[in-house]
Amino acid sequence: MKIENILVPVDFSDCSDNALNYAIELAVLYKAKLTLLHCYVVHIPAAEITMDLQPQLAREYQENAEKNFTLLKERTTGLGKVHHRVVIKTSFINMGIIAATEEFEADLIVMGTKGAGNRIDAFFGSNTYHTIKKSVIPVLVIPEGAQFVTPGKILFAADFKHLGEVKSLDMIKVLSRQFNA
């Protein structure tokens, strides 16, 4: 297994930007390309508003996402070091991430988390937790504020429900070889 395409969900938050910077460093090491994914859902605020407004609102969401990606590229200088593509989808984020892993043949998902609390979904954040539960490819979760360092140890957490799906174990091997961890 090789890391050739890294999927990075982007919501333009500081936490998301941090995960993107982490993913850039991985992409440089593995000569991988990045797929930056932003998903949005058009919210119709009230029942009185007709569905005729949905196309206009969708256009506004799309234009806003494009502007935010332009700003992201300006403030993320590392993007110039790696091949990347921007994907904007109308979808709930959880479904969009899972669909994009297959559509863009991602080998790894790198996403940020800033969740806190005693419950596991609160610790990771609900979107991150849902992605971990539903993804068939490995998910590398980057805590808010974490900076890229060469890992000395790698922890693999599993519920052992899907032992036949060894793709995650293959990823651990790839990462441990790269970092001698």
Side-chain angles (χ1 to χ4, degrees), residues 72-144:
L72 178 70
K73 288 179 180 182
E74 289 172 4
R75 71 178 178 262
T76 312
T77 55
L79 275 173
K81 299 188 287 186
V82 296
H83 176 70
H84 64 278
R85 66 179 151 211
V86 168
V87 177
I88 302 170
K89 288 185 165 285
T90 304
S91 173
F92 289 104
I93 185 66
N94 299 322
M95 292 185 296
I97 292 169
I98 299 306
T101 60
E102 187 173 316
E103 182 179 349
F104 300 106
E105 299 177 350
D107 302 302
L108 176 67
I109 299 169
V110 176
M111 63 190 301
T113 185
K114 65 176 184 173
N118 293 328
R119 293 186 356 245
I120 191 77
D121 61 330
F123 176 74
F124 283 121
S126 60
N127 290 327
T128 304
Y129 179 70
H130 182 272
T131 301
I132 291 167
K133 292 290 287 178
K134 298 293 182 183
S135 180
V136 296
I137 66 171
V139 180
L140 184 59
V141 178
I142 309 302
E144 187 175 34

Side-chain angles (χ1 to χ4, degrees), residues 24-78:
I24 289 169
E25 295 302 323
L26 284 175
V28 168
L29 281 172
Y30 288 101
K31 297 175 179 57
K33 65 182 169 192
L34 297 178
T35 299
L36 311 181
L37 173 69
H38 177 71
C39 296
Y40 66 90
V41 177
V42 178
H43 298 282
I44 304 296
E48 299 87 39
I49 296 177
T50 67
M51 294 304 284
D52 294 339
L53 284 178
Q54 188 170 4
Q56 178 184 347
L57 288 172
R59 248 188 329 278
E60 289 177 17
Y61 276 71
Q62 178 76 23
E63 290 170 2
N64 189 43
E66 290 169 0
K67 288 176 189 172
N68 281 327
F69 267 117
T70 299
L71 295 171
L72 178 70
K73 288 179 180 182
E74 289 172 4
R75 71 178 178 262
T76 312
T77 55

